[in-house]
Amino acid sequence: MLLPFLFWLGAAAGLVAQPVQRVEAVEATQGAAADRGAVYAISNADIGKYDRATGRKIGAWHGDKAVFKHINSCTVIGRELMCAASNYPGVPMSSQIHWFDTRTMTLVRSKSLGRAYGSLTWVVPHQGQYWACFANYGGKGGEPGRDSSFTTLVRYDRHWRETGRWSFPVEVIARMAPKSASGGDWGRDGLLYVSGHDRPELYALRVPPGGGMLELVATIAMPTGGQAIGWDRREPRLIWSIGRGTGQIVGSRVPPVPTR
């Protein structure tokens, strides 16, 4: 009954994302991404590429599960998919970034971030820099003395030098706990949109300059549960997520968020 209840809450506030497209995808267990011609379904060690008009599978990559423990999310940058990965649920936590050619669906390069602030769940470009989220967990995959409240947003320059760091609002952490921020992407409105691990919600956050604490602007009811998300590169206010357990990539229209 959780989903209808949250949809009622969103409807009362006028912030309910409406599903407009569904694509069947066996890899839809971790997250989704999209470019102008295709949508991508992400799992721990596999990525599927699907024609967004027909839903037909047009490409795939399959990784060695002994090497690729946990790909969490991907985002499209030009003709590449940049994917955040970690050794979850292994500890101590370590993180990597992998880049794939979207035309050939082959791995072109990787970068290790080693031990950082937690487990890398998503990384996206914005305003010439990279924004990365390091999740922390209470329970499975967590490290002693650190729970989900230690989840951290980090900004890097093009040379992967840290230029800023933010914590998540208490009210958002409380709704994601004991898990963490599984997905995130910048909207064209200048807000950062974040999804948790389980709840069918999207959190619109304001990022104050200079670091500190992120500010919750709005909570949007979603037709899917948590996991990684990605804004559409072709249609404004269209966001892609996964229906975990249904084997679907879902495109949803997100209402504008009042920023004042």
Side-chain angles (χ1 to χ4, degrees), residues 24 91 164 190 230:
E24 301 293 326
V91 291

Side-chain angles (χ1 to χ4, degrees), residues 164-239:
R165 187 167 70 245
W166 292 261
S167 299
F168 281 76
V170 172
E171 60 267 41
V172 174
I173 290 292
R175 297 192 69 77
M176 295 190 297
K179 297 298 185 179
S180 189
S182 293
D185 201 359
W186 283 93
R188 296 182 187 181
D189 55 7
L191 297 177
L192 181 64
Y193 289 78
V194 172
S195 54
H197 188 271
D198 300 300
R199 292 180 183 269
E201 298 177 345
L202 191 61
Y203 309 107
L205 304 172
R206 182 177 290 110
V207 181
M213 183 73 71
L214 301 171
E215 302 170 7
L216 177 62
V217 177
T219 300
I220 303 153
M222 288 285 288
T224 56
Q227 299 298 300
I229 55 170
W231 283 109
D232 194 274
R233 298 296 185 251
R234 186 172 73 180
E235 297 186 40
R237 307 306 298 177
L238 181 66
I239 203 164

Side-chain angles (χ1 to χ4, degrees), residues 73 84 120-124 131-133 153 168 181-185 192 194:
S73 66
L120 182 69
T121 50
W122 48 270
V123 56
V124 294
W131 300 73
C133 180
L153 175 68
F168 281 76
S182 293
D185 201 359
L192 181 64
V194 172

Side-chain angles (χ1 to χ4, degrees), residues 129-131 154-157 161-166 210-211:
Q129 302 196 74
Y130 295 113
W131 300 73
V154 181
R155 184 182 62 200
Y156 294 97
D157 67 15
R161 295 174 299 207
E162 184 178 327
T163 62
R165 187 167 70 245
W166 292 261

Side-chain angles (χ1 to χ4, degrees), residues 9-223:
L9 287 178
L15 296 176
V16 180
Q18 299 292 341
V20 295
Q21 185 176 359
R22 297 179 185 270
V23 177
E24 301 293 326
V26 295
E27 304 88 352
T29 61
Q30 288 294 336
D35 58 25
R36 291 186 173 275
V39 289
Y40 302 84
I42 298 105
S43 67
N44 285 341
D46 300 280
I47 302 172
K49 179 180 181 180
Y50 294 82
D51 183 275
R52 60 186 296 158
T54 65
R56 182 173 61 90
K57 192 169 186 176
I58 55 176
W61 172 84
H62 304 288
D64 182 345
K65 294 182 179 180
V67 177
F68 297 90
K69 302 287 188 181
H70 199 76
I71 297 178
N72 289 295
S73 66
C74 300
T75 188
V76 178
I77 305 176
R79 293 181 175 178
E80 291 185 333
L81 273 175
M82 180 172 67
C83 300
S86 70
N87 65 334
Y88 178 88
V91 291
M93 300 178 189
S94 63
S95 301
Q96 311 82 39
I97 302 173
H98 305 295
W99 285 264
F100 299 86
D101 186 319
T102 58
R103 296 163 295 181
T104 61
M105 293 303 291
T106 55
L107 177 65
V108 293
R109 65 188 182 280
S110 298
K111 177 179 178 58
S112 173
L113 296 181
R115 295 197 67 186
Y117 295 97
S119 180
L120 182 69
T121 50
W122 48 270
V123 56
V124 294
H126 179 64
Q127 295 183 340
Q129 302 196 74
Y130 295 113
W131 300 73
C133 180
F134 292 93
N136 284 273
Y137 307 97
K140 181 181 178 180
E143 294 185 358
R146 302 176 70 179
D147 59 16
S148 54
S149 64
F150 284 81
T151 297
T152 305
L153 175 68
V154 181
R155 184 182 62 200
Y156 294 97
D157 67 15
R158 289 294 184 180
H159 302 287
W160 297 99
R161 295 174 299 207
E162 184 178 327
T163 62
R165 187 167 70 245
W166 292 261
S167 299
F168 281 76
V170 172
E171 60 267 41
V172 174
I173 290 292
R175 297 192 69 77
M176 295 190 297
K179 297 298 185 179
S180 189
S182 293
D185 201 359
W186 283 93
R188 296 182 187 181
D189 55 7
L191 297 177
L192 181 64
Y193 289 78
V194 172
S195 54
H197 188 271
D198 300 300
R199 292 180 183 269
E201 298 177 345
L202 191 61
Y203 309 107
L205 304 172
R206 182 177 290 110
V207 181
M213 183 73 71
L214 301 171
E215 302 170 7
L216 177 62
V217 177
T219 300
I220 303 153
M222 288 285 288

